[in-house]
Amino acid sequence: MGSMPMMPRLLCALLMFCSAAFTQAQRIGVVLSGGGAVGLTHIGVLKALEENDIPVDYIAGSSMGALVGALYASGISPAEMDSLFQTELYQLMALGDIEPQYDFYFKKDQPDASMLSLGVNVDTTLQMSLPTNLRSPVLIDFEQMRAFAGPAAASRYNMDSLFVPFRCVASDITARKEVVFSKGDLALAVRASMSYPFYFKPILIDGHLMMDGGMYNNFPADVMYEAFMPDYIIGSNVAYNAPPPNEDDLMSQLKAIMTQPTNYVLPCDPGVIIEPKTNVTIFDFASAKQAIADGYASAMARMPEIKAEVARRRPKAQVEEARRKFKSQCPPVVFNDIRFHDLSKRQALYCERLVNKHNEPLTVQQLKSRYFRLYADNNIRGLFPKATYSPERGNFDLDIKVKRERHLEVQFGGLVSSRPVNTGMISARYNVFGRTSNRMEALGYFGKFYTSGQLRWRTDLSSRTPLYVEPAVTLNRWDHFSGFTSFFQEVRPSYIVRRELWGGTNVGMALGTKGLLRFDAKYAQTKDSYYQNSDFIALDTADVTEFHFGTAGLMLERNSLNRKQQPNRGELLRVSLRYVGGNEITFPGSQWADRDPLRARHDWVVLKARLDKYFLPRGIFRFGAMAEGVYSTQPFFQNYTATVIQTPVFQPTPETMTYFMENYRAQQYLAGGVRSIIAVARNKFDLRLEGYAFQPYKTLEREDDNTTGEGAAVSSRYFIGSGSLIYQSPLGPIWFNTSYIDGLREPWTWSLNFGYAIFSQGARD
């Protein structure tokens, strides 16, 4: 067992001396170890104890044991915990996500091909900063504040006065020692104790950085004895000391550096340690039901032994009455004063206007949407709330520590493909935060198929109705090859090269959490170089069409898709109306006899609608449907190819975004399709089967002189089939695809890809 400190030995001697006289007054302490998701077995242990009328007079825990113990000490029954840990809310907290209804689409940037983001601290030197946590704690911090605010107030911030007296342990890595919480904010103590290294970000308390209690004391039985001197201890332990570090195992070396061995025994004989057996692993939070059931079974197996040694009983009805009485003392969570910390005055004013502009009392539910709207801001990296009860007013003050986003962020991404459409992406974002929230971004794509450069500035206003203004300048270039071969073979020459330069402004207004109303006005120049067919030689010169135009558009969008590419949950509804007006000038190439420039004025409007919806969002089998319609009054340009390039196109899959598909372009069309998806391995793998039909009202047809004609109404249609196996890696999707694209010279295609086929905003997007 190892040597025992003097104080626990004296306490043990005293307890054993007095135990015979005070059998009927036995006081029972429960100790819960850390263990990540495996620690959910503690709930089953508590459930078994209550069902068998075993009293729980004191409780102590570390890490996950601290969370379970704090909930129990706050008057939450094991049955309520069983339900809570199986909810979608809890699963989102464990994954570091937030509830979809609080994920503000309005705050999201235009989607791009980024996969990795690095923050840069700007001071006398540029210092790259890597993320310190895999999961965002923002939802769990808010929910713990909400759950523990009332019980902490009822106990007057003394953990001895909770429904059950409570202790939890955290690790002070500044002073390199364990810290035992007995007073103060309950949510803060629990958050400190469960800040598992690299999973959830550590927190600062009085200038000391606090991390997971399991690092220094993963089974606080000694804390239980020293704090409460119980007659009998029931331990629930799912942790162990790690084996010695291995020279070839970096994680074992880090664990050895960061942790201290824990003594997983009781300091005194009167007690029992239950060691629940389960197949649940440390991060398998989705298996809460199984873990709780395994903990219950393990406790029931030891129940005859516990009943033989614990004479005292506390009927469940009595426990429920005491629980009800304690909960009745918890004040409702209503906030009066909301204060922001670690910000300048101008920054704090922006946050105040965003969260509580009229300085009115807010219920926790009223606060929640505003709180997460603030968190979605580009200049906010993290929030930590602390609620403090004011007995004079009968409500709470809320202090929110705000972690600013780093001034400079660098992002990398792109598309690596077995087809010659490889594209790299890099962007640099500089955040400017004051009375408004601003971001300047320089974005670049580079590759033979696609090249782009974009500069934009976004300003978010602190108005009650969320608004943003975003001026931008963008250069896009697409190089559509005369054929597509393997990754290694270069294909020359190109047969269509499209260039686009535009400058303008987007103005957006939020419509709820998922809606966006956007107006844009732009001036653009396009320059398209092309051949009228693929029968050309390297000495030929291409036709060139330049189009200088102004455009203005209004778009209404609702977007709850869970991914920026190849989603399997949510929906997208987008309706847009756009005016385009400008001047065309076409310079015929060497294949024309008459090479005089041709000029024309063009004005038209485009109405476009798209619905993309997924069904059965929580099962293995998913189903989706998509419909798209376009009505355009676009006139013909000087030749067939120039007309086709300017005409709206149907591109329903990432693969089709990399082809120039003239058969899927029309002035008016209806298109749509269905998707069948099998999502396995916790939504990491998708087997995706898709089929689409494209029905133009009238096809565009090439006349003998290369001008544009129209086919008969509803006379032709085209089909697309696609099958993909997709792995959602931590950086981005890895996907194998095979497609049938009706109308291509070689309709069957395949590719292996890593990354995103997403491009910069176009002039008419």
Side-chain angles (χ1 to χ4, degrees), residues 199-276:
Y199 196 84
F200 283 137
K201 187 182 291 292
I203 64 171
L204 273 173
I205 299 178
D206 298 329
H208 288 238
L209 197 61
M210 300 290 174
M211 293 188 76
D212 192 278
M215 293 172 59
Y216 294 161
N217 189 348
N218 211 18
F219 186 65
D222 57 337
V223 172
M224 171 64 70
Y225 269 111
E226 292 174 14
F228 302 118
M229 297 177 61
D231 301 296
Y232 191 86
I233 284 184
I234 300 171
S236 180
N237 177 42
V238 293
Y240 60 91
N241 287 319
N246 187 298
E247 62 180 347
D248 297 320
D249 187 345
L250 176 61
M251 292 306 296
S252 72
Q253 297 168 26
L254 289 174
K255 187 172 288 187
I257 292 171
M258 298 177 63
T259 63
Q260 296 178 1
T262 294
N263 198 2
Y264 293 101
V265 296
L266 299 178
C268 196
D269 288 338
V272 63
I273 297 179
I274 301 166
E275 296 183 320

Side-chain angles (χ1 to χ4, degrees), residues 283-304:
F283 295 125
D284 188 11
F285 293 99
S287 298
K289 184 177 182 179
Q290 183 63 50
I292 295 168
D294 291 340
Y296 179 84
S298 297
M300 291 301 293
R302 302 293 298 272
M303 197 57 63

Side-chain angles (χ1 to χ4, degrees), residues 20 28 42 88 101 120 154-155 207 257 314 363 390 416 420 448 462 480 487 513 531 572 587 668 725 727 753:
I28 310 303
H42 301 325
E88 184 178 359
Q101 63 267 36
V120 179
S155 70
I257 292 171
R314 192 181 188 194
T363 66
S390 172
V416 179
K448 176 172 172 47
S462 58
H480 295 278
F487 177 88
T513 57
Y531 296 91
L572 165 69
F587 302 92
Q668 300 94 31
L725 179 62
Y727 168 61
N753 311 277

Side-chain angles (χ1 to χ4, degrees), residues 585-588 594-599 638:
I585 177 169
T586 293
F587 302 92
D594 184 358
R595 301 187 62 184
D596 291 336
L598 304 171
R599 304 174 187 273
Q638 295 299 322

